[in-house]
Amino acid sequence: MFGSFSTGLCLQHSDVDLAVIDAPLLENLTITQASSILVRKLAAVLSTYEWCESINPLDTASMPVLKCLCRPFGTSNSPSIAVDITIGSINRVLPAVQEPRKFSSRHTGGAARDYVLQKIREFPALAPLVWKIYRS
């Protein structure tokens, strides 16, 4: 998880940002191509669940993302939560070597989250300032 929800700086209407880590891929594709395929496959699987109200794979973006609107408790009375899912890294098995090699995408959400959390610990007044800017 990354983004404002993971740093505690989210507002009531904020979405949840998730990254799939160590996704498998056997084909010889670019990271963007592989991410696009994985986002479409994930969309197909999630579309079978009732708690996923809407699923929109943006697989042609430079950073493919799956935008979902979910009801986590599965009831029509529970509030919907917007969830964005991206592919954080891919394990590619090379046929000649038969060893998995990790290929990182351009995904920087986890690093950004860690940086923000570090700065909030260093400067406790930072969080209220960010909330004030969000609300402006």
Side-chain angles (χ1 to χ4, degrees):
M1 186 173 12
F2 64 100
S4 63
F5 192 84
S6 68
T7 61
L9 297 175
C10 60
L11 297 177
Q12 189 175 17
H13 63 277
S14 296
D15 65 355
V16 176
D17 298 296
L18 301 174
V20 175
I21 305 297
D22 295 338
L25 184 73
L26 300 175
E27 302 164 35
N28 194 12
L29 302 171
T30 67
I31 296 298
T32 301
Q33 291 169 329
S35 295
S36 293
I37 290 169
L38 291 169
V39 161
R40 285 193 302 270
K41 286 182 178 184
L42 185 58
V45 170
L46 290 177
S47 68
T48 64
Y49 291 94
E50 289 181 22
W51 47 265
C52 282
E53 289 183 339
S54 70
I55 296 178
N56 184 17
L58 303 177
D59 57 347
T60 58
S62 60
M63 173 68 70
V65 61
L66 178 58
K67 296 182 111 12
C68 306
L69 191 59
C70 303
R71 290 198 184 275
F73 303 108
T75 68
S76 58
N77 297 339
S78 61
S80 297
I81 298 174
V83 179
D84 291 350
I85 305 170
T86 53
I87 306 300
S89 63
I90 295 173
N91 279 331
R92 181 176 293 165
V93 176
L94 302 176
V97 181
Q98 296 301 318
E99 286 182 27
R101 286 181 39 198
K102 188 172 183 176
F103 289 86
S104 181
S105 69
R106 298 178 308 270
H107 202 286
T108 58
R113 175 206 55 227
D114 294 346
Y115 177 78
V116 169
L117 289 172
Q118 174 190 343
K119 292 303 173 187
I120 289 172
R121 282 191 294 274
E122 287 178 36
F123 306 105
L126 184 60
L129 289 173
V130 170
W131 285 323
K132 179 68 175 165
I133 292 169
Y134 276 169
R135 293 181 179 164
S136 298

